Amino acid sequence: MAAIESREIKSPEVLSGVPTPVAIDGSSESFRRKKLGIYFVESDDRQLALRGGYTGTGTTPVNIHGKPISDLSKTGGWIAAFFIFGNEMAERMAYFGLSVNMVAFMFYIMHRPFSSSADAVNIFLGISQASSVLGGFLADAYLGRYWTIAIFTTMYLAGLTGITLCATISTFIPNQDQCDQFSLLLGNCEQAKPWQMLYLNAVLYITGLGAAGIRPCVSSFGADQFDERSRNYKEHLDRFFNFFYLSVTVGAVAAFTLVVYIQMRHGWGAAFGSLAIAMGISNTVFFIGTPLYRHRVPGGSPLTRVTQVLVAAFRKRNKSFSSSEMVGLYEVPGKRSAIKGSGKIAHTDDFRWLDKAALQLKEDDVNPSPWRLCTVTQVEEVKILLKLFPIPACTTMLSLVLTEYLTLSVQQAYTLNTHLGNLKLPVTCMPVFPGISIFLLLSLYYSVFVPLSRRITGNPHGASQLQRVGIGLAVSIISAAYAAGFEKYRRSYAVKHGYEAIFLTPMPNLSAYWLLIQYCLIGIAEVFCIVGLLEFLYEEAPDAMKSIGSAYAAVAGGVGCFAATILNIIIKSVTGNSSEGKPSWLSQNINTGRFDYFYCLLTVLSIVNFCVFIYFAKRYKYRTKPGFEMAEQNGANMVVNPLGVS
């Protein structure tokens, strides 16, 4: 068999003066395994490379037609980002507007039990977030982020319009005659017909699917508007994600105040209609900004590339890195990458079993199939996805706590006095306070937090991305612990003063504003955790998988919603016994239930989750990218511990 014509390139870990062999003999196996990165082999004959490579960092921006942008100064930047903020603001306004109001709509209008209404909405929210990986896949593989947002935001608008029709036209809802609050509690109101619930669920899930396509793309598309070759790129990116989450907060505050006000004054149709109008306006603004946007070339199916790596590694599972048949680790020549929209990724020693997918042997064909031989960059993509996974997975617990707050805290608020002087706030407005705390924190972030934390950590940005995620998870523990303590006091007060049976009657001498502490704490936790996570995933994800990286955060949120529903079901079945008349911890009558025990459970689970996060975060090494500074010692690149601790 003719020898494969090849040339070698040196690993970033090896000094230029060190010779780099192409073939390996049988000696010093442990040394060779540790220095596996030096055995790159670039083949000029690979068919995949002949189809065209991608230079530099692999993220050269193009216009909407896929052509290089000749003058970057006329596109992108903060102006383009603000057009994108509007779309996210409306999407979050609709999302939170539905998450709070849909429970009440199903209970009061569709006559579903409160607990099943809450579970149905939790499942909707979970599917909406978990299916974000679909939007991320389509954006990275085929459509690009712009067209994915354009298609799914139109779908979102169609779903909101359908929900508005359901709330407006009496045909779609059960008869409301002779259905007072007492009849609702006894379940004597006319139930919604199966086809009515089918219609409501259909338009609700169309809305959820629209959100699933938008969510993983908007933050990444906004970040794409900044030039990563700019000296101030890191600063712009840091500020972008803070402003991005500020737009999320503004949408949430509008949902918890303006939409609730419209519902109380003008009814359910007007409330849901306002969400559709806001979405329609934001879509228009988004499309107006089209000439300003910078785009990234879709990289082809990431699922196919991941599968190819796994298959190729499995095929060569019995091959040894010390084999005399080994030529080297395969990579395409020069600065070009074989993957659309991606630059080359340096070899790492993690998950070495995956390196066998790039193990080029003498027996390989001149033009090998990617199902048998993958490039180092392709293998490193899979490694990065595996290394990233535990971090967003640990934020699932925060999502679970947030989901529980949306329903449990509302039930608490119904038993409390919501007057603020002469002003009476609706119970459904209570979740606005986390939004207000988020707004205040983001406003003070650069003037107070960054300078203070910079002195402590020495990080020019105040705290690293993983440190911010850790701070958020720690604050969520404090929030859950406070919620448990206050609920214990609230329940004792209700029993002591004769409110045990009348759980929908507010207690005039116990203010609902004691709930603000847990709300504000969870808002602070959300800012640190989610903003840090989004920035972390965008920067660390492979170039051609940025949307899938962002989808990790949304999927974690969706899993949190599912986990909340599953946890509720388990708690109800384990702690309650209807035949013995024993109420569960999550009884519909909050005064006979034990929400305080449930909050204690959330606190314990949050502590365990935080410990798991610390374990993975301390072991995570940030990626080193071309153009960014790397410390060197003894000729080897050093990566600072992401948590700043040893």
Side-chain angles (χ1 to χ4, degrees):
M1 177 180 173
I4 299 175
E5 183 180 348
S6 62
R7 59 176 178 168
E8 56 187 275
I9 66 173
K10 292 185 174 68
S11 165
E13 296 180 314
V14 182
L15 291 175
S16 57
V18 179
T20 309
V22 174
I24 307 175
D25 58 24
S27 62
S28 303
E29 180 178 354
S30 62
F31 173 79
R32 283 189 300 275
R33 287 179 60 82
K34 290 181 180 179
K35 294 297 181 181
L36 203 53
I38 69 176
Y39 298 110
F40 283 114
V41 175
E42 295 185 328
S43 171
D44 292 319
D45 300 319
R46 180 86 184 260
Q47 188 174 17
L48 188 60
L50 293 175
R51 291 201 291 264
Y54 299 86
T55 61
T57 59
T59 56
T60 303
V62 297
N63 61 23
I64 194 171
H65 303 294
K67 305 296 183 182
I69 299 174
S70 57
D71 187 358
L72 289 178
S73 65
K74 295 181 179 179
T75 62
W78 285 106
I79 296 177
F82 278 113
F83 280 97
I84 298 168
F85 286 152
N87 186 264
E88 177 63 13
M89 192 183 304
E91 191 275 322
R92 293 288 87 185
M93 179 178 171
Y95 177 83
F96 287 110
L98 289 176
S99 66
V100 172
N101 291 289
M102 188 52 66
V103 175
F105 180 76
M106 285 187 173
F107 178 69
Y108 287 108
I109 304 300
M110 305 305 287
H111 305 155
R112 294 279 302 275
F114 188 88
S115 59
S116 62
S117 298
D119 288 343
V121 172
N122 285 347
I123 292 173
F124 155 71
L125 298 178
I127 291 177
S128 171
Q129 295 192 76
S131 57
S132 295
V133 70
L134 172 64
F137 171 80
L138 291 175
D140 284 341
Y142 306 113
L143 300 176
R145 288 185 264 281
Y146 173 84
W147 287 111
T148 304
I149 295 172
I151 292 170
F152 282 88
T153 198
T154 304
M155 188 182 301
Y156 205 135
L157 178 59
L160 290 173
T161 303
I163 293 173
T164 303
L165 293 176
C166 179
T168 305
I169 302 174
S170 59
T171 306
F172 293 110
I173 59 176
N175 192 345
Q176 304 298 309
D177 294 339
Q178 299 179 345
C179 185
D180 53 21
Q181 189 177 77
F182 187 70
S183 299
L184 274 173
L185 292 176
L186 295 178
N188 293 334
C189 294
E190 179 182 318
Q191 298 294 303
K193 297 180 177 63
W195 72 266
Q196 291 173 330
M197 287 307 303
L198 178 63
Y199 173 81
L200 177 60
N201 285 322
V203 293
L204 196 59
Y205 282 101
I206 289 174
T207 305
L209 185 60
I214 298 171
R215 190 175 295 113
C217 299
V218 174
S219 61
S220 298
F221 189 52
D224 287 345
Q225 306 310 310
F226 299 96
D227 186 358
E228 61 189 21
R229 294 165 294 185
S230 168
R231 179 179 299 178
N232 298 324
Y233 175 69
K234 291 280 289 181
E235 180 182 347
H236 286 319
L237 203 63
D238 183 52
R239 289 180 180 270
F240 165 77
F241 280 105
N242 278 309
F243 280 118
F244 174 80
Y245 211 73
L246 185 61
S247 69
V248 171
T249 303
V250 172
V253 170
F256 295 137
T257 54
L258 181 61
V259 177
V260 170
Y261 174 81
I262 292 173
Q263 187 274 316
M264 293 178 65
R265 286 299 184 96
H266 303 289
W268 292 102
F272 293 134
S274 66
L275 299 178
I277 292 171
M279 198 70 205
I281 293 173
S282 78
N283 288 2
T284 303
V285 171
F286 176 77
F287 290 125
I288 289 174
T290 298
L292 298 174
Y293 299 143
R294 297 173 183 173
H295 304 260
R296 308 291 178 179
V297 179
S301 172
L303 180 61
T304 300
R305 296 201 301 276
V306 170
T307 306
Q308 285 172 343
V309 170
L310 297 177
V311 170
F314 180 79
R315 282 181 168 180
K316 295 183 178 179
R317 64 192 182 279
N318 295 323
K319 301 295 182 180
S320 173
F321 290 116
S322 61
S323 170
S324 60
E325 294 296 313
M326 176 179 171
V327 177
L329 295 181
Y330 183 76
E331 184 56 278
V332 294
K335 295 182 179 180
R336 292 174 173 266
S337 166
I339 301 169
K340 252 184 173 183
S342 175
K344 282 188 175 179
I345 304 175
H347 176 267
T348 65
D349 288 330
D350 302 305
F351 304 108
R352 284 177 172 168
W353 57 275
L354 286 174
D355 284 328
K356 292 191 176 182
L359 182 61
Q360 187 170 16
L361 304 175
K362 294 178 181 178
E363 65 187 41
D364 287 323
D365 296 333
V366 174
N367 296 317
S369 165
W371 293 94
R372 181 172 180 82
L373 182 63
C374 303
T375 64
V376 169
T377 295
Q378 188 174 344
V379 173
E380 291 300 319
E381 279 190 328
V382 181
K383 290 183 182 181
I384 290 169
L385 291 180
L386 291 175
K387 287 187 286 187
L388 288 179
F389 178 77
I391 303 301
C394 289
T395 65
T396 298
M397 192 64 215
L398 176 63
S399 176
L400 188 153
V401 174
L402 283 167
T403 303
E404 297 292 3
Y405 275 20
L406 283 175
T407 53
L408 302 184
S409 295
V410 169
Q411 285 184 264
Q412 288 177 292
Y414 272 116
T415 70
L416 302 170
N417 181 5
T418 59
H419 282 84
L420 186 62
N422 294 325
L423 176 66
K424 184 181 187 301
L425 288 180
V427 168
T428 47
C429 279
M430 295 303 291
V432 75
F433 291 101
I436 294 176
S437 67
I438 291 172
F439 184 85
L440 292 175
L441 179 60
L442 290 176
S443 301
L444 299 173
Y445 184 82
Y446 291 103
S447 60
V448 178
F449 174 77
V450 171
L452 180 63
S453 58
R454 187 186 292 133
R455 295 179 182 178
I456 300 172
T457 65
N459 189 303
H461 300 286
S464 70
Q465 297 148 358
L466 291 181
Q467 284 172 337
R468 280 180 276 163
V469 174
I471 291 171
L473 294 179
V475 174
S476 72
I477 295 172
I478 300 173
S479 176
Y482 172 84
F486 175 71
E487 172 56 22
K488 181 176 179 63
Y489 174 79
R490 188 212 61 80
R491 184 181 183 278
S492 299
Y493 185 94
V495 173
K496 181 179 179 180
H497 292 83
Y499 287 93
E500 187 171 7
I502 46 177
F503 63 97
L504 288 180
T505 302
M507 296 177 283
N509 295 324
L510 190 58
S511 175
Y513 296 99
W514 286 106
L515 293 173
L516 298 192
I517 297 177
Q518 69 194 54
Y519 274 134
C520 291
L521 286 172
I522 203 66
I524 293 171
E526 193 174 1
V527 167
F528 280 105
C529 185
I530 305 303
V531 175
L533 180 65
L534 288 174
E535 185 178 343
F536 170 76
L537 291 173
Y538 181 81
E539 287 206 44
E540 296 296 302
D543 291 334
M545 295 185 180
K546 296 292 187 186
S547 297
I548 287 186
S550 298
Y552 264 13
V555 170
V559 172
C561 292
F562 285 126
T565 301
I566 294 171
L567 182 62
N568 290 350
I569 293 172
I570 293 173
I571 292 299
K572 288 175 185 176
S573 62
V574 171
T575 63
N577 191 323
S578 56
S579 61
E580 298 178 2
K582 178 185 177 182
S584 72
W585 287 1
L586 300 178
S587 171
Q588 183 158 303
N589 182 344
I590 187 175
N591 294 332
T592 59
R594 297 307 306 241
F595 280 30
D596 52 338
Y597 291 173
F598 186 72
Y599 281 129
C600 285
L601 176 62
L602 293 182
T603 304
V604 172
L605 293 176
S606 296
I607 292 173
V608 172
N609 177 74
F610 180 71
C611 294
V612 173
F613 168 78
I614 292 294
Y615 174 83
F616 284 108
K618 287 181 67 176
R619 284 156 179 78
Y620 186 85
K621 293 182 179 180
Y622 287 109
R623 286 179 61 196
T624 54
K625 301 180 183 180
F628 290 95
E629 293 183 354
M630 295 179 293
E632 291 192 2
Q633 181 178 7
N634 298 327
N637 293 327
M638 296 181 61
V639 181
V640 179
N641 187 305
L643 282 183
V645 294
S646 59

